[in-house]
CSV table of all heavy atoms in Angstrom, one decimal:
chain,number,residue,atom,x,y,z
A,126,LEU,N,-34.5,40.4,-19.1
A,126,LEU,CA,-34.3,38.9,-19.6
A,126,LEU,C,-33.8,39.0,-21.0
A,126,LEU,O,-32.9,38.1,-21.4
A,126,LEU,CB,-35.8,38.4,-19.7
A,126,LEU,CG,-36.5,38.1,-18.3
A,126,LEU,CD1,-37.9,37.8,-18.5
A,126,LEU,CD2,-35.7,36.9,-17.5
A,127,SER,N,-34.2,39.9,-21.9
A,127,SER,CA,-33.7,39.9,-23.2
A,127,SER,C,-32.2,40.3,-23.3
A,127,SER,O,-31.3,39.7,-24.0
A,127,SER,CB,-34.5,40.9,-24.1
A,127,SER,OG,-35.8,40.5,-24.2
A,128,SER,N,-31.8,41.4,-22.5
A,128,SER,CA,-30.5,41.7,-22.5
A,128,SER,C,-29.6,40.7,-21.9
A,128,SER,O,-28.4,40.5,-22.4
A,128,SER,CB,-30.3,43.0,-21.6
A,128,SER,OG,-30.9,44.1,-22.4
A,129,CYS,N,-29.9,40.0,-20.9
A,129,CYS,CA,-29.2,38.9,-20.4
A,129,CYS,C,-28.9,37.8,-21.3
A,129,CYS,O,-27.9,37.2,-21.4
A,129,CYS,CB,-29.8,38.3,-19.1
A,129,CYS,SG,-29.6,39.4,-17.6
A,130,ASP,N,-30.0,37.5,-22.1
A,130,ASP,CA,-29.9,36.5,-23.1
A,130,ASP,C,-28.9,36.8,-24.1
A,130,ASP,O,-28.2,36.0,-24.7
A,130,ASP,CB,-31.2,36.2,-23.7
A,130,ASP,CG,-31.2,34.8,-24.5
A,130,ASP,OD1,-30.8,33.7,-23.9
A,130,ASP,OD2,-31.7,34.8,-25.7
A,131,ALA,N,-28.9,38.1,-24.6
A,131,ALA,CA,-27.9,38.6,-25.6
A,131,ALA,C,-26.5,38.4,-25.0
A,131,ALA,O,-25.6,38.1,-25.8
A,131,ALA,CB,-28.2,40.1,-26.0
A,132,VAL,N,-26.3,38.8,-23.8
A,132,VAL,CA,-25.0,38.6,-23.2
A,132,VAL,C,-24.6,37.1,-23.3
A,132,VAL,O,-23.4,36.8,-23.6
A,132,VAL,CB,-24.9,39.3,-21.9
A,132,VAL,CG1,-23.5,39.0,-21.3
A,132,VAL,CG2,-25.2,40.8,-21.9
A,133,ARG,N,-25.4,36.3,-22.8
A,133,ARG,CA,-25.1,34.9,-22.9
A,133,ARG,C,-24.8,34.5,-24.3
A,133,ARG,O,-23.8,33.7,-24.4
A,133,ARG,CB,-26.4,34.1,-22.4
A,133,ARG,CG,-26.2,32.6,-22.6
A,133,ARG,CD,-27.5,31.8,-22.3
A,133,ARG,NE,-28.6,32.2,-23.5
A,133,ARG,CZ,-28.5,31.6,-24.6
A,133,ARG,NH1,-27.6,30.7,-25.0
A,133,ARG,NH2,-29.4,31.9,-25.6
A,134,GLN,N,-25.5,34.9,-25.3
A,134,GLN,CA,-25.1,34.5,-26.7
A,134,GLN,C,-23.7,35.0,-27.1
A,134,GLN,O,-23.1,34.4,-28.0
A,134,GLN,CB,-26.1,35.1,-27.7
A,134,GLN,CG,-27.5,34.3,-27.6
A,134,GLN,CD,-28.5,34.9,-28.5
A,134,GLN,OE1,-28.2,35.1,-29.7
A,134,GLN,NE2,-29.8,35.2,-28.0
A,135,LEU,N,-23.2,36.1,-26.5
A,135,LEU,CA,-21.8,36.4,-26.7
A,135,LEU,C,-20.9,35.6,-25.9
A,135,LEU,O,-19.6,35.7,-26.1
A,135,LEU,CB,-21.6,37.9,-26.2
A,135,LEU,CG,-22.4,38.9,-27.0
A,135,LEU,CD1,-22.2,40.4,-26.4
A,135,LEU,CD2,-21.9,39.0,-28.5
A,136,GLY,N,-21.3,34.7,-25.1
A,136,GLY,CA,-20.5,33.8,-24.2
A,136,GLY,C,-19.8,34.6,-23.1
A,136,GLY,O,-18.7,34.1,-22.6
A,137,LEU,N,-20.3,35.6,-22.6
A,137,LEU,CA,-19.8,36.4,-21.6
A,137,LEU,C,-20.4,36.1,-20.2
A,137,LEU,O,-21.7,36.0,-20.1
A,137,LEU,CB,-19.8,37.9,-21.8
A,137,LEU,CG,-19.2,38.4,-23.0
A,137,LEU,CD1,-19.6,39.9,-23.2
A,137,LEU,CD2,-17.7,38.3,-22.9
A,138,PRO,N,-19.7,35.8,-19.2
A,138,PRO,CA,-20.2,35.5,-17.9
A,138,PRO,C,-20.7,36.9,-17.3
A,138,PRO,O,-20.2,38.0,-17.6
A,138,PRO,CB,-19.2,35.1,-17.0
A,138,PRO,CG,-17.9,35.5,-17.7
A,138,PRO,CD,-18.1,35.6,-19.2
A,139,TYR,N,-21.8,36.9,-16.5
A,139,TYR,CA,-22.3,38.1,-16.0
A,139,TYR,C,-22.9,37.8,-14.4
A,139,TYR,O,-23.1,36.7,-14.2
A,139,TYR,CB,-23.3,38.8,-16.8
A,139,TYR,CG,-24.5,37.9,-17.1
A,139,TYR,CD1,-25.6,37.9,-16.2
A,139,TYR,CD2,-24.6,37.2,-18.2
A,139,TYR,CE1,-26.8,37.1,-16.4
A,139,TYR,CE2,-25.8,36.4,-18.5
A,139,TYR,CZ,-26.8,36.3,-17.6
A,139,TYR,OH,-27.9,35.5,-17.9
A,140,SER,N,-23.0,38.9,-13.7
A,140,SER,CA,-23.6,38.8,-12.3
A,140,SER,C,-25.0,39.4,-12.4
A,140,SER,O,-25.2,40.4,-13.1
A,140,SER,CB,-22.6,39.5,-11.4
A,140,SER,OG,-21.3,39.0,-11.5
A,141,VAL,N,-25.8,38.9,-11.4
A,141,VAL,CA,-27.2,39.5,-11.2
A,141,VAL,C,-27.2,39.8,-9.7
A,141,VAL,O,-26.9,38.9,-8.9
A,141,VAL,CB,-28.2,38.5,-11.7
A,141,VAL,CG1,-29.6,39.0,-11.3
A,141,VAL,CG2,-28.0,38.3,-13.2
A,142,PRO,N,-27.8,40.9,-9.3
A,142,PRO,CA,-28.0,41.2,-7.9
A,142,PRO,C,-29.0,40.3,-7.2
A,142,PRO,O,-29.8,39.6,-7.9
A,142,PRO,CB,-28.5,42.6,-7.9
A,142,PRO,CG,-28.3,43.2,-9.2
A,142,PRO,CD,-28.3,42.1,-10.2
A,143,GLU,N,-29.0,40.4,-5.9
A,143,GLU,CA,-30.0,39.7,-5.1
A,143,GLU,C,-31.4,40.1,-5.5
A,143,GLU,O,-32.3,39.4,-5.6
A,143,GLU,CB,-29.8,39.9,-3.6
A,143,GLU,CG,-28.5,39.5,-3.1
A,143,GLU,CD,-27.4,40.6,-3.0
A,143,GLU,OE1,-27.4,41.5,-4.0
A,143,GLU,OE2,-26.7,40.8,-2.1
A,144,VAL,N,-31.5,41.4,-5.8
A,144,VAL,CA,-32.9,41.9,-6.2
A,144,VAL,C,-32.6,42.5,-7.5
A,144,VAL,O,-32.2,43.7,-7.7
A,144,VAL,CB,-33.4,43.0,-5.2
A,144,VAL,CG1,-34.7,43.6,-5.7
A,144,VAL,CG2,-33.4,42.5,-3.8
A,145,PRO,N,-32.9,41.8,-8.6
A,145,PRO,CA,-32.4,42.3,-10.0
A,145,PRO,C,-33.3,43.4,-10.5
A,145,PRO,O,-32.7,44.2,-11.3
A,145,PRO,CB,-32.8,41.0,-10.8
A,145,PRO,CG,-32.9,39.9,-9.9
A,145,PRO,CD,-33.4,40.4,-8.7
A,146,ILE,N,-34.5,43.7,-10.1
A,146,ILE,CA,-35.3,44.8,-10.5
A,146,ILE,C,-35.5,45.7,-9.3
A,146,ILE,O,-36.1,45.3,-8.2
A,146,ILE,CB,-36.7,44.4,-11.0
A,146,ILE,CG1,-36.5,43.5,-12.2
A,146,ILE,CG2,-37.5,45.7,-11.4
A,146,ILE,CD1,-35.8,44.1,-13.5
A,147,CYS,N,-34.9,46.9,-9.4
A,147,CYS,CA,-34.9,47.7,-8.1
A,147,CYS,C,-34.6,49.2,-8.7
A,147,CYS,O,-34.4,49.5,-9.8
A,147,CYS,CB,-33.8,47.4,-7.2
A,147,CYS,SG,-32.2,47.3,-8.0
A,148,PHE,N,-34.8,50.1,-7.7
A,148,PHE,CA,-34.3,51.5,-7.7
A,148,PHE,C,-32.8,51.6,-7.4
A,148,PHE,O,-32.4,50.8,-6.5
A,148,PHE,CB,-35.2,52.5,-7.0
A,148,PHE,CG,-36.5,52.6,-7.4
A,148,PHE,CD1,-37.5,52.2,-6.5
A,148,PHE,CD2,-36.9,53.2,-8.5
A,148,PHE,CE1,-38.8,52.2,-6.9
A,148,PHE,CE2,-38.2,53.3,-8.8
A,148,PHE,CZ,-39.3,52.9,-8.1
A,149,PRO,N,-32.0,52.2,-8.2
A,149,PRO,CA,-30.6,52.3,-7.7
A,149,PRO,C,-30.3,52.7,-6.3
A,149,PRO,O,-29.4,52.4,-5.8
A,149,PRO,CB,-30.0,53.4,-8.8
A,149,PRO,CG,-31.0,53.4,-9.9
A,149,PRO,CD,-32.3,53.0,-9.4
A,150,THR,N,-31.2,53.5,-5.8
A,150,THR,CA,-31.0,54.1,-4.5
A,150,THR,C,-31.5,53.1,-3.4
A,150,THR,O,-31.3,53.3,-2.2
A,150,THR,CB,-31.8,55.4,-4.3
A,150,THR,OG1,-33.1,55.2,-4.6
A,150,THR,CG2,-31.1,56.5,-5.1
A,151,ASP,N,-32.1,52.0,-3.7
A,151,ASP,CA,-32.5,50.9,-2.8
A,151,ASP,C,-31.3,50.4,-2.1
A,151,ASP,O,-30.3,50.4,-2.6
A,151,ASP,CB,-33.2,49.8,-3.4
A,151,ASP,CG,-34.7,50.1,-4.0
A,151,ASP,OD1,-35.1,51.3,-3.6
A,151,ASP,OD2,-35.3,49.2,-4.7
A,152,GLU,N,-31.6,50.0,-0.8
A,152,GLU,CA,-30.5,49.5,0.1
A,152,GLU,C,-29.8,48.3,-0.6
A,152,GLU,O,-28.7,48.0,-0.4
A,152,GLU,CB,-31.0,49.3,1.5
A,152,GLU,CG,-30.0,48.7,2.5
A,152,GLU,CD,-30.6,48.4,3.8
A,152,GLU,OE1,-31.7,48.8,4.1
A,152,GLU,OE2,-29.8,47.7,4.6
A,153,SER,N,-30.7,47.4,-1.2
A,153,SER,CA,-30.2,46.3,-1.8
A,153,SER,C,-29.2,46.5,-2.9
A,153,SER,O,-28.2,45.8,-2.9
A,153,SER,CB,-31.4,45.4,-2.3
A,153,SER,OG,-31.9,45.9,-3.5
A,154,PHE,N,-29.4,47.6,-3.7
A,154,PHE,CA,-28.6,47.9,-4.8
A,154,PHE,C,-27.3,48.6,-4.3
A,154,PHE,O,-26.2,48.3,-4.8
A,154,PHE,CB,-29.2,48.7,-5.9
A,154,PHE,CG,-28.3,48.9,-7.1
A,154,PHE,CD1,-28.1,47.9,-8.0
A,154,PHE,CD2,-27.7,50.1,-7.3
A,154,PHE,CE1,-27.2,48.0,-9.1
A,154,PHE,CE2,-26.8,50.2,-8.4
A,154,PHE,CZ,-26.6,49.3,-9.3
A,155,VAL,N,-27.4,49.3,-3.3
A,155,VAL,CA,-26.3,50.0,-2.7
A,155,VAL,C,-25.3,48.9,-2.2
A,155,VAL,O,-24.1,49.0,-2.5
A,155,VAL,CB,-26.7,51.0,-1.5
A,155,VAL,CG1,-25.6,51.5,-0.9
A,155,VAL,CG2,-27.6,52.1,-2.1
A,156,GLY,N,-25.8,47.9,-1.6
A,156,GLY,CA,-25.0,46.8,-1.1
A,156,GLY,C,-24.4,46.1,-2.3
A,156,GLY,O,-23.2,45.7,-2.4
A,157,THR,N,-25.2,45.8,-3.4
A,157,THR,CA,-24.8,45.1,-4.6
A,157,THR,C,-23.6,45.8,-5.3
A,157,THR,O,-22.6,45.3,-5.7
A,157,THR,CB,-25.9,44.9,-5.6
A,157,THR,OG1,-26.8,44.0,-5.0
A,157,THR,CG2,-25.4,44.4,-6.9
A,158,ALA,N,-23.8,47.2,-5.3
A,158,ALA,CA,-22.7,48.0,-6.0
A,158,ALA,C,-21.3,47.9,-5.2
A,158,ALA,O,-20.4,47.8,-5.9
A,158,ALA,CB,-23.2,49.5,-6.1
A,159,GLY,N,-21.4,48.0,-3.9
A,159,GLY,CA,-20.2,47.8,-3.2
A,159,GLY,C,-19.6,46.5,-3.5
A,159,GLY,O,-18.3,46.4,-3.6
A,160,ARG,N,-20.4,45.5,-3.4
A,160,ARG,CA,-19.8,44.1,-3.6
A,160,ARG,C,-19.3,43.9,-5.0
A,160,ARG,O,-18.3,43.2,-5.3
A,160,ARG,CB,-20.8,43.1,-3.2
A,160,ARG,CG,-21.1,43.0,-1.7
A,160,ARG,CD,-22.0,41.9,-1.4
A,160,ARG,NE,-23.3,42.0,-1.7
A,160,ARG,CZ,-24.2,42.7,-1.0
A,160,ARG,NH1,-23.9,43.2,0.1
A,160,ARG,NH2,-25.4,42.8,-1.5
A,161,PHE,N,-20.0,44.5,-6.0
A,161,PHE,CA,-19.5,44.3,-7.4
A,161,PHE,C,-18.2,45.0,-7.5
A,161,PHE,O,-17.3,44.4,-8.3
A,161,PHE,CB,-20.6,44.8,-8.3
A,161,PHE,CG,-20.2,44.6,-9.7
A,161,PHE,CD1,-20.2,43.3,-10.3
A,161,PHE,CD2,-19.9,45.7,-10.6
A,161,PHE,CE1,-19.8,43.1,-11.6
A,161,PHE,CE2,-19.5,45.5,-11.9
A,161,PHE,CZ,-19.5,44.2,-12.4
Side-chain angles (χ1 to χ4, degrees):
L126 293 167
S127 296
S128 289
C129 285
D130 195 52
V132 178
R133 176 192 63 81
Q134 292 181 44
L135 292 176
L137 298 175
Y139 59 85
S140 304
V141 177
E143 301 92 322
V144 182
I146 303 297
C147 59
F148 294 110
T150 52
D151 286 351
E152 183 179 349
S153 68
F154 185 75
V155 173
T157 290
R160 287 187 290 276
F161 184 68

